[in-house]
Amino acid sequence: EEAFVRESASEFFTHFLEYFLANSPPHPFVTMSGSAGSSQKDEPFDNFYVEVKEIERRDSVLTSKQQIERLLRPGSTYFNLNPFEVLQVEPETSVELIKKKYRSLSILVHPDKNQENKDKAQQAFEIVCKAWKTLESDVTRKKCLDVYEEAKDRTDHMIAEKRKKLKKEGRGEEAIPEDDPSKYKHAVYVMTMKLFADMERRRQQLETRDQEERKRKREAEIEEEERIKQDRLWQKSWEESRQSRVDSWHSFQAGTSSSKKKKKPKKPLEFNPPKLKPETR
């Protein structure tokens, strides 16, 4: 019951904080260069945010049910493309610590520990295992880190474009949302998810194209096999009917010879003059 209360409080404060950050105007004391007044004004709020995040991190590994729901929540197909997000580790985390996190998380969502929800637990367990296999390999982990670095570069470029636009409008000293470290981190997170989704989309397109190409080649192979089969059948039929054709030709030749022998020579035509009739007077 106590865990449920902490979980509900964490979700409430997190949602409230996200809404507050998304809808509140820039703090009047916040400038691009920063100031002592700004840090003093924001210190209670920053402490509150850190405390909320700490509660959220503690609660994130508190129950098996919560982890299963997190891994199978709506939109998880794309969220789970990011193995760092699945295992709830930062990209800079060492492999040893990632392995420890994987072990603890795999125990929480293991189907044997969640008999009342075994099917969903099995799905969550497979997602966790897949994420660990991705980060365990040096090659695939480097690819994921490259995606993260590209997300940071794109986010920095986006921020630079925002600053350039403000400068053109004569508001160069005005702060932008990404000046807040938490919002900057969130922007990098969103960009990282977008890049992973783009990668998955391209992979699916290539896989579909490859399947169509293999299907086309297979259809061509089947057509060629059928043509060869028909040619062999025709050749076989031709060979089997060879003797029949020879016999038929011999019979034809024999019939022609006998008809020539039986044919009688024609007699030469004779000229028979008409008979004379006696003249009568």
Side-chain angles (χ1 to χ4, degrees):
E1 184 178 352
E2 182 181 356
F4 175 77
V5 172
R6 287 202 303 270
E7 180 180 353
S8 300
S10 174
E11 291 180 354
F12 171 77
F13 284 124
T14 301
H15 293 161
F16 169 77
L17 181 61
E18 291 176 351
Y19 176 82
F20 177 79
L21 290 174
N23 294 277
S24 60
H27 198 284
F29 292 96
V30 176
T31 60
M32 293 175 60
S33 58
S35 65
S38 174
S39 61
Q40 291 176 357
K41 290 287 184 179
D42 292 342
E43 186 176 355
F45 178 79
D46 292 340
N47 292 337
F48 168 75
Y49 181 72
V50 170
E51 184 179 352
V52 169
K53 281 297 181 182
E54 194 63 35
I55 295 173
E56 186 179 24
R57 280 193 293 269
R58 186 176 68 244
D59 289 352
S60 65
V61 294
L62 187 61
T63 64
S64 299
K65 182 180 179 181
Q66 180 186 359
Q67 286 292 355
I68 293 173
E69 290 177 351
R70 179 182 70 86
L71 293 169
L72 300 179
R73 67 191 185 277
S76 59
T77 301
Y78 284 99
F79 284 115
N80 294 337
L81 294 174
N82 184 352
F84 301 113
E85 168 71 11
V86 172
L87 298 180
Q88 294 181 307
V89 295
E90 296 295 330
E92 301 85 1
T93 308
S94 65
V95 179
E96 291 76 14
L97 293 178
I98 294 176
K99 187 174 184 179
K100 290 181 180 179
K101 184 65 183 231
Y102 156 70
R103 286 178 175 175
S104 62
L105 192 56
S106 62
I107 292 173
L108 279 174
V109 300
H110 198 281
D112 292 343
K113 191 177 179 181
N114 298 273
Q115 292 292 332
E116 73 285 353
N117 202 3
K118 198 169 184 178
D119 292 340
K120 288 187 176 182
Q122 181 64 37
Q123 296 178 37
F125 181 74
E126 291 174 358
I127 292 170
V128 171
C129 291
K130 182 180 179 181
W132 164 241
K133 288 180 180 178
T134 302
L135 297 180
E136 181 185 23
S137 169
D138 293 338
V139 177
T140 51
R141 186 173 70 257
K142 184 180 183 306
K143 289 182 179 179
C144 293
L145 289 173
D146 290 343
V147 172
Y148 174 71
E149 291 299 326
E150 183 179 352
K152 288 180 64 179
D153 292 342
R154 292 195 182 189
T155 303
D156 292 341
H157 177 73
M158 180 263 296
I159 292 173
E161 290 296 321
K162 283 187 177 181
R163 294 190 191 281
K164 189 184 297 184
K165 183 179 179 181
L166 289 175
K167 190 174 181 180
K168 286 183 178 179
E169 295 174 354
R171 299 185 297 163
E173 298 299 321
E174 186 176 328
I176 60 175
E178 287 75 18
D179 288 336
D180 185 334
S182 62
K183 287 195 173 183
Y184 174 79
K185 186 176 181 180
H186 180 71
V188 174
Y189 167 79
V190 172
M191 182 61 69
T192 302
M193 299 306 300
K194 180 181 182 300
L195 292 178
F196 272 111
D198 291 342
M199 285 177 57
E200 176 63 14
R201 195 175 298 110
R202 287 195 297 270
R203 186 195 66 80
Q204 291 179 358
Q205 290 174 351
L206 290 174
E207 184 178 353
T208 302
R209 192 180 308 166
D210 183 60
Q211 289 178 352
E212 291 176 351
E213 181 65 17
R214 283 184 295 181
K215 181 181 178 182
R216 187 190 63 79
K217 287 183 178 179
R218 182 54 187 159
E219 289 175 350
E221 289 174 358
I222 293 175
E223 185 177 349
E224 181 65 15
E225 290 172 359
E226 185 66 23
R227 187 189 64 80
I228 293 174
K229 181 180 178 181
Q230 293 297 329
D231 289 346
R232 286 176 179 173
L233 289 174
W234 185 87
Q235 189 67 25
K236 182 180 179 181
S237 177
W238 174 263
E239 292 295 334
E240 290 176 349
S241 63
R242 180 187 295 276
Q243 190 60 43
S244 175
R245 294 195 307 276
V246 171
D247 293 343
S248 177
W249 174 252
H250 288 167
S251 299
F252 174 76
Q253 290 292 334
T256 302
S257 300
S258 60
S259 62
K260 285 183 179 180
K261 289 179 181 179
K262 292 179 181 180
K263 191 175 181 179
K264 296 180 178 179
K266 294 182 178 180
K267 294 181 179 181
L269 296 175
E270 297 179 356
F271 177 74
N272 294 324
K275 293 180 179 181
L276 296 175
K277 294 182 179 180
E279 185 178 352
T280 57
R281 292 185 181 184

